[in-house]
Amino acid sequence: MAVWTRACKTGLLELLLRERWVRVAAELSGEALSLTAEPGGGEAAVLNGVVNGNAEAAPGCVRRVRVVKAEAGGLGISIKGGRENRMPVLISRIFPGLAAERSGALRLGDAILAVNGVDLRDATHDQAVQALKRAGREVILEVKFMREVTPYIKKPSLVSDLPWEGAAPHSPSLSGSEDSGSPQHQGPRDRKVIPLKMCFAARNLSMPDLENRLIELHSPDSRNTLILRCKDTATAHSWFTALHANIAALLPQVLAELNAMLGTGGAAAGGREVKHIAWLAEQARLDGGRQQWRPVLMAVTEKDLLLYDGMPWTRDAWASPCHSYPLVATRLVHSGSGRRSPALGSELTFATRTGSRQGVEMHVFRVETHRDLSSWTRVLVQGCHAAAELIKEVSVGCTLGGQEVQLSIHYEGGFTICREEPGGSVLFRYPYERLKMSADDGIRTLYLDFGGPEGELALDLHSCPKPIVFILHTFLSAKVTRMGLLA
């Protein structure tokens, strides 16, 4: 097990909350991330040269602001007020990434006095909405900041507006430290404490990050996501590295708790020790051939590779993975840099292929660091080989030349084909070194040629031959590796 050093950090970041960037003081410890709302942080205070993407403005001064809409997306603001409410038309929300935020010249609490020359000082709310809709691609706004109306614009609360569940339940088996439950609100300040155990720190996964300064933190149940924005790329890299390292440092504790909960002989565990568990991203194919990465939790036991949508804190949850694949019928087929990403450079990916009765099932995964890639490569290759030595032998009924037979492949002894009857006589027995060729038709037939007088053997397995083919390759790979050669 790798030894991880836990990092401690403090600093000012921005948190995406109710579609607004809110300034927070972040404090990272070994087991948790604390976020505290900064005074004025929900009222468009300047941070990193940005106020929810906007510049500072003095109260009372009329400003003329030019906003150009992108090809896709609107102006990117919400408004409140109007004549019927006895209030001016106010900007109540500025949406991240859209034209208003990119202009850097608007702020929450700005009163819109005119749109492209159309006076809105005495407009109703609906009249203001229609004027903004008719404004076209280039919009000229006359605005004035009115500090006295900002109480009417709700300040986001970290406590009430930040959903975060899925942490370890308080139980004898998986209680962890005292802050291992859901995030805590502590004291009179607007503060949230996020336990890091089994969270997933990622970059450029659920939200585009062209500036490369966002960090994503996904909850253990994968239902909630925190988006943090740093002042620059270097700061984002530093915070991400620290978060990732602290989460990884908690994995040995998680493994110990899981194995204690499942027990060596528990029915849910099947008597199989959990060797490794961690979050990564899986490539999903959408309609129209588009691809998307989504969080997935992978666990490797002595015999199986398991995939979950969320952390299985209980026996019942552990016993119900989304996918379960025998390691002995699985192999790593790619590990390294993938296609280029505009924000992160080269993606680090690996792929697995498993022989099943439905054919070959393939999954492509993305990791966040080179250390993760190295770790998963080692875990999967060594896990497949260890499973081969543990299982030792597989047998399958099939048909050869019109008679029912049984094919057995032994990790040490090689191939045996005997009649499918009690005490059935052995028809053929060959060691691995006699195998000259193996092939399959991908439907139901396995072909084996040992160079004997019988010639090529065509075995009808009555189902897809891929599981047996993959197991055979794993046995061979494990034997070659054990001999000190490269598989």
Side-chain angles (χ1 to χ4, degrees):
M1 178 65 66
V3 177
W4 294 88
T5 301
R6 301 192 189 187
C8 294
K9 282 182 70 67
T10 58
L12 291 179
L13 303 174
E14 288 173 311
L15 169 69
L16 185 60
L17 188 61
R18 290 176 58 236
E19 300 174 318
R20 292 170 55 189
W21 291 108
V22 177
R23 183 172 64 179
V24 295
E27 181 180 352
L28 177 65
S29 66
E31 295 190 356
L33 173 67
S34 301
L35 301 175
T36 305
E38 282 290 286
E43 298 180 5
V46 176
L47 172 65
N48 306 332
V50 174
V51 188
N52 285 319
N54 314 316
E56 195 76 68
C61 297
V62 177
R63 291 143 33 226
R64 186 179 174 86
V65 177
R66 176 176 177 267
V67 181
V68 179
K69 300 178 187 177
E71 293 296 334
L75 192 58
I77 63 172
S78 287
I79 60 172
K80 284 186 176 181
R83 184 178 64 202
E84 70 271 32
N85 298 307
R86 297 182 181 179
M87 292 172 58
V89 177
L90 302 170
I91 296 178
S92 60
R93 185 177 298 181
I94 298 175
F95 294 92
L98 295 182
E101 186 199 38
R102 290 197 303 271
S103 74
L106 296 172
R107 64 179 298 174
L108 301 180
D110 273 342
I112 302 178
L113 307 180
V115 178
N116 286 356
V118 178
D119 194 309
L120 297 184
R121 287 175 174 84
D122 196 39
T124 65
H125 184 274
D126 186 62
Q127 288 171 340
V129 169
Q130 295 305 317
L132 290 169
K133 285 184 177 180
R134 292 193 299 265
R137 185 164 183 262
E138 182 176 322
V139 185
I140 305 298
L141 300 173
E142 290 183 26
V143 298
K144 179 173 70 173
F145 179 61
M146 304 183 68
R147 188 180 299 278
E148 62 271 20
V149 302
T150 54
Y152 295 98
I153 302 173
K154 183 178 182 290
K155 174 183 176 180
S157 165
L158 290 173
V159 176
S160 62
D161 294 333
L162 181 60
W164 191 268
E165 299 297 338
H170 290 283
S171 66
S173 59
L174 277 174
S175 57
S177 63
E178 63 180 17
D179 65 350
S180 64
S182 295
Q184 302 296 314
H185 170 46
Q186 301 180 357
R189 303 183 68 186
D190 194 6
R191 184 168 184 251
K192 206 90 170 201
V193 179
I194 309 293
L196 295 178
K197 184 188 292 183
M198 290 315 297
C199 288
F200 179 31
R203 306 290 305 276
N204 207 37
L205 184 61
S206 62
M207 185 174 181
D209 184 16
L210 298 180
E211 295 180 332
N212 198 19
R213 58 193 185 108
L214 301 183
I215 299 171
E216 302 178 18
L217 190 64
H218 299 258
S219 63
D221 64 0
S222 76
R223 295 179 182 177
N224 302 116
T225 303
L226 283 181
I227 305 292
L228 297 169
R229 184 165 71 177
C230 303
K231 66 179 181 180
D232 52 37
T233 299
T235 304
H237 176 75
S238 176
W239 270 98
F240 174 78
T241 301
L243 274 168
H244 183 272
N246 288 9
I247 293 171
L250 294 169
L251 289 180
Q253 177 186 345
V254 173
L255 281 174
E257 292 172 346
L258 270 177
N259 284 311
M261 177 188 71
L262 297 173
T264 56
R272 298 167 186 173
E273 180 185 359
V274 184
K275 296 293 188 180
H276 191 61
I277 186 169
W279 284 98
L280 29 68
E282 181 186 10
Q283 189 179 77
R285 294 190 178 275
L286 306 178
D287 293 339
R290 294 179 297 117
Q291 297 178 347
Q292 176 180 307
W293 295 104
R294 65 177 187 88
V296 65
L297 185 70
M298 181 185 290
V300 175
T301 70
E302 290 180 314
K303 292 185 178 180
D304 296 308
L305 185 154
L306 309 170
L307 299 179
Y308 296 88
D309 284 334
M311 177 63 194
W313 294 119
T314 65
R315 281 173 171 262
D316 288 343
W318 178 263
S320 304
C322 299
H323 298 283
S324 177
Y325 300 112
L327 281 173
V328 74
T330 300
R331 65 174 179 259
L332 187 74
V333 294
H334 163 77
S335 178
S337 298
R339 62 178 177 81
R340 300 290 297 178
S341 165
L344 301 178
S346 186
E347 291 178 339
L348 301 175
T349 63
F350 67 89
T352 62
R353 287 164 59 91
T354 301
S356 72
R357 291 185 177 275
Q358 289 71 44
V360 177
E361 297 189 37
M362 182 171 177
H363 293 266
V364 179
F365 302 98
R366 193 193 86 185
V367 297
E368 300 298 321
T369 69
H370 286 277
R371 187 169 185 171
D372 289 344
L373 184 64
S374 175
S375 175
W376 277 113
T377 300
R378 182 178 63 255
V379 165
L380 289 172
V381 172
Q382 293 180 354
C384 292
H385 293 171
E389 295 188 23
L390 185 65
I391 292 171
K392 292 292 186 185
E393 184 178 22
V394 294
S395 299
V396 60
C398 51
T399 302
L400 175 64
Q403 62 177 325
E404 297 299 317
V405 299
Q406 178 174 281
L407 168 66
S408 296
I409 305 177
H410 193 279
Y411 176 68
E412 301 287 357
F415 303 83
T416 302
I417 300 175
C418 59
R419 288 189 172 88
E420 185 72 279
E421 57 188 38
S425 59
V426 174
L427 299 177
F428 305 101
R429 179 177 283 128
Y430 288 109
Y432 286 100
E433 54 266 28
R434 288 289 303 274
L435 182 64
K436 306 299 182 184
M437 183 276 295
S438 66
D440 68 275
D441 64 358
I443 301 173
R444 57 187 294 163
T445 305
L446 173 68
Y447 302 96
L448 299 174
D449 188 349
F450 298 99
E454 69 280 357
E456 181 182 82
L457 301 176
L459 299 161
D460 183 351
L461 303 185
H462 312 303
S463 64
C464 183
K466 291 301 182 183
I468 288 294
V469 172
F470 275 62
I471 291 171
L472 170 57
H473 290 174
T474 299
F475 279 3
L476 289 171
S477 175
K479 289 175 68 67
V480 169
T481 301
R482 190 179 65 175
M483 290 162 43
L485 303 175
L486 292 177

